[in-house]
Amino acid sequence: SISATTRPSRSGEVDGREYLFKSQEQFDDMISAGELLEYAEVFGQKYGTPKAPVEEALTKGLDVLFDVDWQGGIKIRNSHLRKFVVSVFILPPSISELENRLISRGQDSDQVVSSRMLKSREEISHWSEYDYILVNENLERVHVEISSIIKAERLKRVNRQALVDFVNKLNSEYERRY
């Protein structure tokens, strides 16, 4: 999904690709109109997930990945979409590595990095509320693990409605043969 945000775009970010960049007024209008699946204020900026594109993708049978904080995760898990939700929490390999990654991306001031680090403890405290927990030591491995989770979830009996017809067909073969 592509989140809406009130934060200014960073160098190289494109509206509609990384985020839907909105003014405070536009974002508040989206809230008032019930257009957001979830929203929260994080580090002084508002972030939220527009509902319509998510519902449209699910209607088409597509998977939708969300990159939301724990507050957004709770709202999505408690929404009308809860039966479709599989939650994954991604932990840093260490606190010092988390700080190094924030600093090395070079997008935030020292003050913003410090506030993110202070907030990270609260974020991490919600890890046990999720279905799957990954440790992001290696980005490629995390991608493989997320793909594996998606494949496994698709193979669950409750997500394979066509199996009912298939098993009924097998049973009818028994009745004809035995």
Side-chain angles (χ1 to χ4, degrees):
S1 70
I2 300 174
S3 296
T5 184
T6 58
R7 80 157 172 78
S9 63
R10 294 178 178 137
S11 177
E13 289 182 327
V14 175
D15 184 46
R17 186 178 68 190
E18 283 80 15
Y19 287 96
L20 302 167
F21 295 101
K22 303 291 182 184
S23 68
Q24 290 284 345
E25 183 181 338
Q26 289 172 317
F27 197 96
D28 291 342
D29 288 347
M30 292 175 79
I31 293 171
S32 297
E35 295 175 6
L36 297 174
L37 180 59
E38 59 79 29
Y39 60 91
E41 187 168 321
V42 182
F43 304 115
Q45 301 294 339
K46 292 178 183 174
Y47 293 83
T49 304
K51 196 185 300 184
V54 171
E55 291 173 343
E56 182 181 325
L58 291 174
T59 300
K60 293 178 180 176
L62 300 173
D63 295 316
V64 180
L65 296 176
F66 299 90
D67 179 7
V68 296
D69 72 344
W70 68 270
Q71 298 169 82
I74 287 172
K75 289 178 182 175
I76 292 170
R77 289 191 305 274
N78 291 332
S79 77
H80 67 287
L81 300 175
R82 74 179 135 285
K83 70 180 182 177
F84 302 108
V85 175
V86 177
S87 60
V88 180
F89 194 95
I90 301 176
L91 291 166
S94 69
I95 300 308
S96 61
E97 180 60 21
L98 174 60
E99 186 174 33
N100 289 339
R101 289 175 182 180
L102 287 172
I103 291 168
S104 68
R105 70 183 187 175
Q107 296 178 336
D108 298 311
S109 69
D110 291 345
Q111 182 181 358
V112 170
V113 169
S114 291
S115 67
R116 285 182 179 272
M117 290 305 299
L118 289 172
K119 183 105 168 118
S120 69
R121 186 174 198 164
E122 180 185 2
E123 292 277 336
I124 290 171
S125 74
H126 293 274
W127 71 272
S128 64
E129 301 165 16
Y130 288 71
D131 300 319
Y132 296 90
I133 313 301
L134 304 178
V135 178
N136 185 9
E137 293 177 287
N138 176 288
L139 189 59
E140 282 184 35
R141 189 170 84 216
V142 169
H143 282 156
V144 168
E145 291 170 340
I146 291 171
S147 294
S148 297
I149 290 167
I150 292 168
K151 288 175 188 173
E153 289 292 325
R154 285 180 185 157
L155 292 173
K156 281 186 174 179
R157 177 184 44 84
V158 297
N159 295 327
R160 299 178 71 197
Q161 295 303 310
L163 284 179
V164 172
D165 292 337
F166 180 76
V167 171
N168 287 338
K169 181 180 161 219
L170 292 176
N171 284 330
S172 69
E173 285 183 50
Y174 273 122
E175 291 171 10
R176 287 194 308 267
R177 297 184 98 183
Y178 304 103

Coordinates of all heavy atoms in Angstrom, one line a residue, residues 30 35 38-39 41 47 70 74 83 92 101 107 113 127-128 136 140 156:
M30 N -9.4 13.7 4.6 CA -9.5 12.2 4.4 C -10.0 11.5 5.6 O -10.8 10.5 5.5 CB -8.1 11.7 4.0 CG -7.6 12.2 2.6 SD -5.9 11.6 2.3 CE -6.2 9.9 1.8
E35 N -11.9 8.0 4.7 CA -11.2 7.4 3.6 C -9.9 6.6 4.0 O -9.2 6.0 3.2 CB -10.7 8.5 2.6 CG -11.9 9.2 2.0 CD -11.4 10.4 1.1 OE1 -10.2 10.6 1.0 OE2 -12.3 11.1 0.6
E38 N -6.4 3.3 8.4 CA -5.7 3.5 9.7 C -5.0 4.8 9.6 O -4.6 5.2 8.4 CB -4.8 2.4 10.1 CG -3.7 2.1 9.2 CD -2.5 3.0 9.2 OE1 -2.2 3.6 10.3 OE2 -1.8 3.2 8.2
Y39 N -4.7 5.5 10.7 CA -3.9 6.7 10.7 C -3.3 6.9 12.1 O -3.9 6.5 13.1 CB -4.6 7.9 10.1 CG -5.8 8.3 10.9 CD1 -5.7 9.2 12.0 CD2 -7.1 7.7 10.7 CE1 -6.8 9.5 12.8 CE2 -8.2 8.1 11.4 CZ -8.0 9.0 12.5 OH -9.1 9.3 13.2
E41 N -0.4 9.8 14.3 CA 0.6 10.8 14.3 C 1.9 10.2 14.8 O 2.0 9.7 15.9 CB 0.2 12.0 15.1 CG 1.2 13.2 14.9 CD 0.7 14.5 15.5 OE1 -0.5 14.8 15.4 OE2 1.5 15.2 16.1
Y47 N 0.4 10.0 9.3 CA 0.5 9.0 8.3 C -0.7 8.1 8.3 O -1.3 7.9 9.4 CB 1.7 8.0 8.7 CG 3.1 8.7 8.6 CD1 3.6 9.4 9.7 CD2 3.9 8.5 7.5 CE1 4.8 10.0 9.7 CE2 5.1 9.1 7.5 CZ 5.6 9.8 8.5 OH 6.8 10.4 8.5
W70 N 3.3 0.2 15.0 CA 2.4 -0.7 15.8 C 1.0 -0.2 15.9 O 0.0 -1.0 15.9 CB 3.0 -1.0 17.1 CG 3.1 0.2 18.0 CD1 4.1 1.1 18.1 CD2 2.1 0.6 19.0 NE1 3.8 2.1 19.1 CE2 2.5 1.8 19.6 CE3 0.8 0.1 19.3 CZ2 1.8 2.5 20.6 CZ3 0.1 0.8 20.3 CH2 0.6 1.9 20.9
I74 N -2.3 -2.3 14.8 CA -3.5 -2.7 15.6 C -4.8 -2.3 14.9 O -5.7 -3.1 14.8 CB -3.4 -2.0 17.0 CG1 -2.3 -2.6 17.8 CG2 -4.7 -2.0 17.7 CD1 -2.0 -1.9 19.1
K83 N -9.8 -10.6 8.8 CA -9.6 -12.0 8.3 C -8.6 -12.2 7.2 O -8.1 -13.3 7.0 CB -11.0 -12.6 7.8 CG -11.5 -12.0 6.5 CD -12.8 -12.6 6.2 CE -13.3 -12.1 4.9 NZ -14.6 -12.7 4.4
P92 N 15.3 -4.9 14.5 CA 16.7 -4.7 14.1 C 17.6 -5.7 14.7 O 17.2 -6.3 15.7 CB 16.9 -3.3 14.7 CG 16.1 -3.2 15.9 CD 14.8 -4.0 15.6
R101 N 21.8 2.7 11.0 CA 21.0 2.7 9.8 C 20.3 4.0 9.6 O 20.2 4.6 8.5 CB 20.0 1.5 9.7 CG 20.7 0.2 9.5 CD 19.8 -1.0 9.6 NE 20.5 -2.2 9.5 CZ 19.9 -3.4 9.5 NH1 18.6 -3.5 9.7 NH2 20.6 -4.5 9.3
Q107 N 19.0 11.1 6.0 CA 17.7 11.9 5.7 C 17.2 12.7 6.8 O 16.3 13.5 6.6 CB 16.7 10.9 5.1 CG 17.1 10.2 3.9 CD 16.0 9.2 3.4 OE1 15.3 8.7 4.2 NE2 16.0 8.9 2.1
V113 N 16.8 11.7 14.5 CA 17.4 10.4 14.8 C 17.3 10.1 16.3 O 16.8 9.0 16.7 CB 18.9 10.3 14.3 CG1 19.5 9.0 14.9 CG2 18.9 10.3 12.8
W127 N 6.3 -6.3 19.8 CA 6.7 -7.4 18.9 C 5.8 -8.7 19.1 O 5.4 -9.4 18.2 CB 8.2 -7.8 19.1 CG 8.4 -8.4 20.4 CD1 8.7 -7.8 21.6 CD2 8.4 -9.8 20.7 NE1 8.9 -8.7 22.6 CE2 8.8 -10.0 22.1 CE3 8.2 -11.0 19.9 CZ2 8.8 -11.3 22.7 CZ3 8.3 -12.2 20.5 CH2 8.6 -12.4 21.9
S128 N 5.4 -8.9 20.4 CA 4.7 -10.2 20.7 C 3.2 -10.2 20.2 O 2.6 -11.2 20.3 CB 4.8 -10.5 22.2 OG 4.1 -9.5 22.9
N136 N 16.0 -8.3 11.0 CA 16.5 -7.7 9.7 C 18.1 -7.6 9.8 O 18.6 -6.5 9.9 CB 15.9 -6.4 9.4 CG 16.3 -5.8 8.1 OD1 16.9 -6.5 7.3 ND2 16.0 -4.6 7.9
E140 N 18.1 -9.1 1.9 CA 17.7 -10.1 1.0 C 17.0 -11.3 1.7 O 16.0 -11.8 1.2 CB 18.9 -10.6 0.2 CG 19.3 -9.7 -0.9 CD 20.5 -10.3 -1.8 OE1 20.5 -11.5 -1.9 OE2 21.3 -9.4 -2.2
K156 N -2.6 -22.3 3.4 CA -3.5 -22.7 4.5 C -4.9 -23.1 4.0 O -5.4 -22.5 3.1 CB -3.7 -21.5 5.5 CG -2.5 -21.4 6.5 CD -2.8 -20.3 7.5 CE -1.7 -20.2 8.5 NZ -2.0 -19.2 9.6

